[in-house]
Amino acid sequence: MAHPLLPHGDGSSGPSAGHNRPDLEAEIVWQARADLAACFRMAARLGLEEGICNHFSALVPGYDDLFIVNPHGYAFRELTASSLLICDFDGNVVAGAGQPEATAFHIHARIHHQVPRARVALHTHMPYATALTMTEGDPLLFAGQTALKFYGRVAVDRQYNGLALDAAEGDRIAAAIGAADIVFMRHHGVMVLGPTIAEAWDDLYYLERACQVQCLAMATGRPLLPVDPAIAEATVRQMREGDPDSARLHLASVRRVLDAEDPSYRS
């Protein structure tokens, strides 16, 4: 299901050569690589990935047209900070060995370009959230407390067009996002957008937990009881006030677990 991206060059010539490039060896860039690698590894441990087909990306810190992304052909559990690629929006690999998967490039490059606030974009086919993209009606029903973290933050891309193998499809997906942070992509999967790697990871993790308990509740065959909208609005405001700090601590805990059990992600 994964498709290689046709090579555009190695960054030594063409559009990427004109960049006022940041120092790609700077500590802040390396920390972003390590944070993203930790997210890949923990996503694999939690079963949130699908083979070699899913992709996470983050804009290079301090820069708006270079992004870090996983290379084609590797499972999440294999990825390390140094194995991640840095690409520009024209498909040039500025740093790293290999190429991004084709749909990763065409979706993520266009989202980062068209939705500048989305400094991080995490795309998965994680099972419970993806299952809800296959059902009638709104995917997330806001019947549980965890789901309320996403109240008023969700969009549904209802137009499934097959694989995203060109920029036009990436642009269409980007246009469907609107002001949302969470996008349920019909018949496909989900996209989580965030201003930081920590906040995007936190949302990805809790989104799947919310979808899991909703699927379990639906499996009882009994009607779901959505939270009153006024209470839902008040609750999401409470949650969002503490989200950046909570997310930072969440990612720090992920890295401590990996540091103790499998620190190779940092290499």
Side-chain angles (χ1 to χ4, degrees), residues 37-200:
C39 293
F40 281 117
R41 292 293 188 94
M42 188 55 71
R45 288 182 172 217
L46 298 173
L48 306 185
E49 89 288 22
E50 186 167 71
I52 60 170
C53 294
N54 295 171
H55 14 90
F56 294 173
S57 66
L59 290 177
V60 174
Y63 220 60
D64 294 328
D65 62 354
L66 295 175
F67 64 100
I68 307 166
V69 68
N70 44 313
H72 174 56
Y74 291 86
F76 280 14
R77 69 188 64 251
E78 298 180 89
L79 294 170
T80 65
S82 62
S83 70
L84 300 178
L85 307 176
I86 295 179
C87 300
D88 67 16
F89 292 162
D90 296 307
N92 297 291
V93 176
V94 176
Q99 291 285 331
E101 195 267 335
T103 62
F105 173 73
H106 291 301
I107 294 174
H108 290 249
R110 301 315 297 166
I111 285 176
H112 288 307
H113 182 268
Q114 304 283 36
V115 190
R117 65 181 174 80
R119 297 200 64 83
V120 182
L122 310 183
H123 171 59
T124 74
H125 303 164
M126 54 192 189
Y128 291 100
T130 301
L132 294 178
T133 73
M134 300 159 58
T135 60
E136 292 184 4
D138 292 334
L140 199 56
L141 299 183
F142 305 109
Q145 177 171 284
T146 303
L148 297 183
K149 176 177 170 66
F150 308 107
Y151 190 80
R153 303 173 58 206
V154 173
V156 180
D157 177 11
R158 302 180 187 277
Q159 186 179 341
Y160 178 69
N161 282 340
L163 300 183
L165 295 177
D166 55 46
E169 181 62 7
D171 284 339
R172 188 199 64 74
I173 293 170
I177 292 170
D181 302 318
I182 310 298
V183 185
F184 284 86
M185 305 164 77
R186 279 287 184 219
H187 314 293
H188 182 179
V190 293
M191 180 73 70
V192 174
L193 310 176
T196 67
I197 293 171
E199 288 171 85

Side-chain angles (χ1 to χ4, degrees), residues 195-213:
T196 67
I197 293 171
E199 288 171 85
W201 166 257
D202 195 60
D203 277 349
L204 187 80
Y205 173 85
Y206 285 109
L207 179 64
E208 181 69 346
R209 295 291 291 181
C211 292
Q212 181 179 13
V213 296

Side-chain angles (χ1 to χ4, degrees), residues 195-255:
T196 67
I197 293 171
E199 288 171 85
W201 166 257
D202 195 60
D203 277 349
L204 187 80
Y205 173 85
Y206 285 109
L207 179 64
E208 181 69 346
R209 295 291 291 181
C211 292
Q212 181 179 13
V213 296
Q214 179 174 312
C215 287
L216 291 172
M218 292 168 67
T220 68
R222 299 166 64 181
L224 295 187
L225 297 174
V227 175
D228 178 87
I231 299 298
E233 290 177 5
T235 304
V236 72
R237 285 197 299 271
Q238 292 174 324
M239 290 179 167
R240 295 293 285 161
E241 285 176 3
D243 263 358
D245 285 341
S246 180
R248 178 180 53 79
L249 293 173
H250 186 182
L251 182 55
S253 75
V254 166
R255 291 196 58 168

